[in-house]
Amino acid sequence: MKSLQFSALALGAGLLFTGAPAFCQGMMEMGGVYGGAPRGSMGGLGDAVKGLYGRGAAVPQPSGSSRAPRLSQEDASQYATQANRSYTLATQAAKAGKKDIALKEYANAVSIRARIWGVGDPAIAEISRKQAEIYKQQGKLADVETCYRRVLAADTHRWGQGAPQLTKTVETLASLCDQQGKNKEALSFYRLLYGLKTKEGGLNSPGTK
């Protein structure tokens, strides 16, 4: 893994622009599939985070979004309640060591929120990280990768391409692909990682370690 990481970073900015565009295009396509709130429209996202543990935000999309589904506040609240119920059951199951039940309920919560609130819902990234942790304990790296790809899609939609908030997730995905022998994909992620870290102020910047 170290050799591949070193090789990818050593390629520098010249190769960065040959791999990142295709990868970013994939992120945009994922965002298009899921829909959701446009970047820069932050109203309501805080409510979505708070709603992860409670009844949930009654408004299905941040205000001003042109892609908000036509739902009443009552219907939106019911969907939020369903998603949060699954999240609560998953959390309880995880604590009890019932990993299969936890994964099933986390997946249900993600499915509901993605379908109604879209990829811009920050709760999706939070839940996906919890799923990834369980899969990691089970040694299922392919499933861990799938979860972190969903995290990256959500965070890219929320923060924008090239945002420093993406650095840790991109680094995780690069390592996961590397461990699985997916050299081409790992190299793409390392190129993207190189761009993110240099953009933040250098590869040895305190905020990028």
Side-chain angles (χ1 to χ4, degrees):
M1 182 178 72
K2 292 293 185 182
S3 60
L4 179 57
Q5 181 178 9
F6 176 80
S7 298
L9 295 180
L11 292 175
L15 286 179
L16 168 65
F17 293 105
T18 66
F23 175 78
C24 291
Q25 180 181 358
M27 290 299 97
M28 289 189 291
E29 291 172 353
M30 291 183 73
V33 170
Y34 281 105
R39 293 199 311 268
S41 178
M42 296 300 292
L45 288 181
D47 291 336
V49 174
K50 294 177 183 177
L52 182 61
Y53 303 101
R55 181 167 288 275
V59 180
Q61 287 278 8
S63 59
S65 173
S66 60
R67 303 189 65 177
R70 296 179 178 178
L71 291 176
S72 66
Q73 289 190 349
E74 181 179 356
D75 287 341
S77 181
Q78 289 178 356
Y79 279 116
T81 299
Q82 292 174 19
N84 292 323
R85 180 176 182 275
S86 288
Y87 177 84
T88 299
L89 290 173
T91 301
Q92 293 172 346
K95 289 181 178 179
K98 301 177 180 179
K99 297 179 181 179
D100 289 341
I101 295 177
L103 289 170
K104 178 181 177 180
E105 294 298 339
Y106 278 140
N108 188 49
V110 166
S111 177
I112 294 172
R113 302 194 78 101
R115 186 170 65 250
I116 305 303
W117 286 274
V119 74
D121 180 4
I124 290 177
E126 174 68 18
I127 298 170
S128 296
R129 288 188 181 94
K130 292 182 180 296
Q131 287 179 291
E133 183 58 32
I134 295 176
Y135 282 128
K136 183 178 179 181
Q137 294 170 6
Q138 297 177 333
K140 299 179 178 180
L141 294 185
D143 291 317
V144 176
E145 179 192 340
T146 297
C147 290
Y148 273 103
R149 283 181 180 274
R150 190 162 57 240
V151 171
L152 183 58
D155 285 348
T156 299
H157 191 91
R158 180 182 180 185
W159 301 109
Q161 295 175 14
Q165 290 87 347
L166 308 180
T167 302
K168 186 174 181 180
T169 300
V170 171
E171 189 166 17
T172 297
L173 280 166
S175 177
L176 284 167
C177 289
D178 200 348
Q179 291 176 62
Q180 296 175 82
K182 298 180 179 180
N183 294 338
K184 185 176 180 179
E185 294 177 58
L187 185 59
S188 293
F189 279 118
Y190 280 128
R191 285 170 176 166
L192 182 56
L193 179 63
Y194 176 89
L196 289 169
K197 288 193 172 185
T198 52
K199 182 178 180 180
E200 290 179 27
L203 294 174
N204 297 316
S205 169
T208 61
K209 293 181 179 180

